Every structure is written in structure tokens, then in C-alpha cells.
Amino acid sequence: MIRRVKVAIIGAGTAGLTALKTVSRFTDDFVVIDPGPDGTTSARSGCMPSKALITAAHEYHKRHFLPELGISHAHNLHIESREVMKRIRQLRERFSQGPVRAIEKLEERFIRGRACFESAEQIRVGDILIQAEKVIVAVGSSPELSAEWASFSGVMTTDQFFDLEKLPASLAVIGLGSAGLEIAQALSRLGVQVVAFEQEDWLGGIYDPDIQYWAREYFSSEYMICSGQSVRVDTEAGGFSVGSGKERYRVEKVLVTGGRRTALSAMNFAVTGLPMTASGVPIFDPETLQVGDSGIFIAGDAGQKEMKMHHAADEGRIAGFNAAGPDGVKRYQRRVPLSITFTDPQIARFGLRYDQLNLSETAIGSADFGFQNRALIMGEHRGLVRLYADRVSRKLTGGEMLVPRAEHFAFELATCIHNGMTVDEMVWLPFYHPTMEEGLRSALYNLGEELGGVLPEHFLPEI
């Protein structure tokens, strides 16, 4: 059976469904192809269920601060891990309803199955051969797991972890990127004995060395962290022996959070004859998402990029406009880079990373939240903010932080970069007292001093 369409969208995750919304503005001659399970990665096994886990852990952890507030008997609180996991699954179902309904509305324009290229214009899904003028590949990615580890019952990725009926007594977390750091801390606070491993010496996508130092100090005070060596997993009666070097730890289960692999690798893309990297990922224009001069566009983490949900949605829109819009292929401006890890304190990065800076042309300002008064009142007085600015233009260019409420601060500061604001202009913004944002103002004052010739009292603009 041959089916001819103007646009074929492969994948019904965040990027694919956003592409669908855009494409449907211009044509109804399209199909969406997806093998399941339905719902986005974010809703099923990514940022949404992990935040539900973190919320339970954060609220339970507050019991240590309650006596200081004069609230007694906090030691009587305890965790019902079955209820924790039950709520996560209930929320996961709710978060997945929107994507599921979007697929159901497509009716005959939705094809269930795995897509495989037969040429740059032809895709096979089972017995159906689809001839498409344009193809949007938004197949997403899946957690990486070696064949050996995958054969062990009890070694999981986030795809399986949130299906657990109850929390294990002990767990090894392998891979301390954002997901690993979040889950390791949350489980430790919920009473799980956690030992965490990271092959690299640096944690959580943190690039600023001062933030990296304090992150290791904070998190290693809550659970064991082993880094800088490869990890070995062996089965034992009732669990696993996990370790790097001579140190071995016995745990009930193992959670691997060490990276993701594009689902494109199973789609026979080489048959298209289009350019690919040595690892088999199509080479495409990052501003148009087009592969060469073909009708194929790569969106979301199918392109083997570090991808946040809002970035995936943006790429779905770009691919949709370029595949079906009336103006042909165009280049689109991207948002200010923004990344948040929901640990406690939270980790956030915006704008330029530390490793992208020309240090000779950059001023760096900082503020220690250990001395921030509102944070002290709330029992959250810990962490560090580091802000970067261009020495010539005096504009904010980026920053990293390890502080409470970083999810809000990073958005506010990314907005300042988007608006091209100088440090002088930012300090004139209304900082209310007492708020956590005053800690940002302290960092801006310090940054102004590093820029030279500016003191806090000189920031008032002339009328």
C-alpha cells in the first residue's frame, strides 16, 4: 500500500506534537507516525514524574528545620513509599492525557508503528509505504544502557524507575547529570541508602569551577559520591555489587542515568544518501533543521543534542514552518540558553557557559547566599551565584548558580540577556526588601565593581 502526503511527522513527543500544531495551520495533508508508548518523555519518565518525587522528598526533609521554628514532634513523620510512587503514577497519567488526546483526534492521519527510511522521500511503516514531500524526524531518544546491564533484572533507567510499586532500601545511581543528581538526592532524603557514580570528575553539567566545588560539597554531605573512574556492576544474591576501583557497594537496585541515544539510529537513515556523522546522526543546519537541501528536518533530541523540553518545542515549530509554511526554509533566532537542575539548592545555567567565555574580556561577579538574610529566615542560606558580563559593552552574558529558587532567578536573568541589558541597568530594577532576589543584587554590585569605575551608589541614572 502506498500513501502520498505532503508532510510526514515521525514521532509524537514534544517536538513532534508541536510540529503537528504548526503543520496543521498550513495543510491537512499529513500523517503522524509513532510506535508508542503514548505521551511525551517529559510526562512519562522525565522532568514531570521526577519533580513529583522531588516534591515528596523536599517536604519530608523540612522536618529537620521545623524544631528551629518551634514546631515539635517532627520526628514522628515517616514515609509511605508505596503512596509516594502511587501519586507519581497518578500524576504521570494526568500529564500524559493531553498528548494522548492529540493523537486520538488525528484518526486516520495517525499511523501506529516504527518508521524506517527506504529513500529520502519514502518511509515504510509495516505494510504501508509513505511517499512524503517533506519529512520531520522527531523520534526523540532513549536512555543508554549496555547490553550486559540490560540483562540484569533490577538494573533500570528512568523508563522503568517510575513504575516501581515502592522505593528500594538501597540504590546505586550511575551517572550524575541533571537527572542523576535530582533522583539521588530525592531518594536519599526519602530514606533510601544511595551511592552515586560519575565517570567524569565534574557533576551535573556544571561548568563554573566555583559552582562545581560547592555542588560536590553539598551533595556529598547527603549521599556517597564516587567519581573519576569507570563503574562495574556485578550480580549478587538479592542485589548487586557496584563499584569503581577497589571500593564496592552492595545495593538492592541500580538506576542508570548516564545519557541518552537518538532513536534515529534504528531508522536506516543511511539509505537516504544524505550526510551523516561518524556515529550515524544526520548532519543538519542547526538554524533551519534541514538535512542538506533535502525535504528532511530533524527536531528535538533526535539530533543527539542536549535538549530541554522548551528547546524541543521550539524545534518542532521551526521544523513545522520550514516543512509546510508558505515562505520556504528560513532561519530562526533561538532563545537564550537556560538549564535548571531541581536539586536543593537548585543548579541553574543561563546564557554563555563558563567554558565558552573569553576570560580576558569577561568580568565575573558573585554572591554567597550563606549571608542572604531572607534565605537565613527560611532556613535556605546556602549556595553561590556567579554572573558574567562583557567588559566593553557591560552587558550581562551568562551565569551559573547553586542557590534556592534558582529556577526563578535564572529566568529573570535570561530575560535581561534577551533584552540586552547592561549591569548598570539591571541594578536599577526594583529589588524589594526582604526578598531572595536581593542576593542577585549583591552579585550585580560585585560584578559592577569588577567592571571598574562603578560603585553601587553610582548606579542611579540621571533624570
Side-chain angles (χ1 to χ4, degrees), residues 153-176:
S153 175
V155 175
M156 306 168 289
T157 68
T158 51
D159 281 355
Q160 298 85 39
F161 174 77
F162 296 107
D163 289 326
L164 292 177
E165 290 291 325
K166 64 176 183 175
L167 297 175
S170 57
L171 180 91
V173 176
I174 300 178
L176 287 177

Side-chain angles (χ1 to χ4, degrees), residues 215-292:
R216 184 177 290 273
E217 287 290 304
Y218 288 136
F219 301 137
S220 62
S221 70
E222 296 196 34
Y223 55 90
M224 176 69 71
I225 294 178
C226 306
S227 63
Q229 300 182 56
S230 59
V231 183
R232 179 177 171 181
V233 177
D234 296 308
T235 57
E236 287 190 353
F240 301 90
S241 173
V242 186
S244 54
K246 296 181 180 179
E247 296 291 333
R248 308 289 294 176
Y249 301 87
R250 193 178 186 284
V251 295
E252 180 183 339
K253 293 186 182 297
V254 177
L255 175 65
V256 181
T257 59
R260 301 183 67 85
R261 184 180 184 84
T262 175
L264 245 171
S265 57
M267 291 184 64
N268 193 32
F269 191 85
V271 76
T272 66
L274 294 168
M276 302 172 66
T277 65
S279 59
V281 178
I283 298 173
F284 58 96
D285 187 319
E287 294 180 345
T288 66
L289 307 182
Q290 185 179 24
V291 181

Side-chain angles (χ1 to χ4, degrees), residues 319-366:
F321 273 111
N322 283 340
D327 300 324
V329 177
K330 298 174 64 177
R331 299 181 182 279
Y332 290 89
Q333 182 179 352
R334 297 305 185 93
R335 302 176 198 258
V336 174
L338 178 63
S339 176
I340 301 167
T341 301
F342 292 82
T343 48
D344 177 26
Q346 293 179 342
I347 305 164
R349 185 179 72 241
F350 62 94
L352 293 179
R353 304 190 307 256
Y354 184 87
D355 65 322
Q356 295 172 325
L357 301 175
N358 183 332
L359 294 177
S360 65
E361 298 175 358
T362 302
I364 301 178
S366 63

Side-chain angles (χ1 to χ4, degrees), residues 403-447:
V403 292
R405 317 296 173 86
E407 59 184 291
H408 306 295
F409 299 156
F411 171 74
E412 294 161 3
L413 292 167
T415 300
C416 292
I417 293 179
H418 175 81
N419 291 330
M421 296 180 70
T422 66
V423 173
D424 313 72
E425 292 168 330
M426 291 173 62
V427 175
W428 185 236
L429 295 172
F431 288 89
Y432 197 82
H433 174 77
T435 62
M436 301 283 265
E437 277 77 6
E438 288 179 298
L440 297 185
R441 185 175 61 183
S442 297
L444 288 167
Y445 280 165
N446 183 247
L447 183 54

Side-chain angles (χ1 to χ4, degrees), residues 51-221:
K51 302 312 167 286
L53 179 73
I54 290 166
T55 298
H58 180 68
E59 296 303 316
Y60 186 54
H61 189 70
K62 285 182 180 179
R63 72 192 187 282
H64 298 297
F65 181 55
L66 294 180
E68 188 175 327
L69 298 176
I71 302 173
S72 60
H73 302 294
H75 62 278
N76 290 328
L77 296 172
H78 65 280
I79 282 292
E80 297 284 354
S81 76
R82 289 184 182 274
E83 294 301 313
V84 171
M85 299 307 290
K86 178 182 177 181
R87 180 174 185 266
I88 291 172
R89 290 192 298 275
Q90 289 173 339
L91 288 172
R92 183 176 60 178
E93 285 296 313
R94 178 174 178 174
F95 298 143
S96 297
Q97 285 176 4
V100 170
R101 284 196 296 266
I103 290 173
E104 291 173 346
K105 290 178 182 178
L106 295 176
E107 298 179 344
E108 73 278 358
R109 288 178 294 181
F110 177 72
I111 301 174
R112 175 75 71 190
R114 296 191 178 278
C116 185
F117 281 99
E118 296 214 340
S119 73
E121 297 84 23
Q122 291 184 324
I123 305 151
R124 180 168 292 282
V125 185
D127 295 332
I128 305 171
L129 183 64
I130 300 169
Q131 182 82 30
E133 295 177 24
K134 304 290 174 61
V135 179
I136 297 174
V137 180
V139 291
S141 62
S142 57
E144 286 194 283
L145 189 63
S146 70
E148 178 187 8
W149 290 0
S151 68
F152 296 156
S153 175
V155 175
M156 306 168 289
T157 68
T158 51
D159 281 355
Q160 298 85 39
F161 174 77
F162 296 107
D163 289 326
L164 292 177
E165 290 291 325
K166 64 176 183 175
L167 297 175
S170 57
L171 180 91
V173 176
I174 300 178
L176 287 177
S178 291
L181 285 174
E182 290 176 351
I183 294 174
Q185 184 185 51
L187 292 179
S188 177
R189 290 184 169 190
L190 290 170
V192 178
Q193 294 296 312
V194 174
V195 58
F197 299 88
E198 171 53 54
Q199 187 168 334
E200 305 297 330
D201 285 321
W202 288 60
L203 309 179
I206 304 169
Y207 294 84
D208 188 298
D210 287 7
I211 303 296
Q212 179 68 218
Y213 171 81
W214 285 111
R216 184 177 290 273
E217 287 290 304
Y218 288 136
F219 301 137
S220 62
S221 70

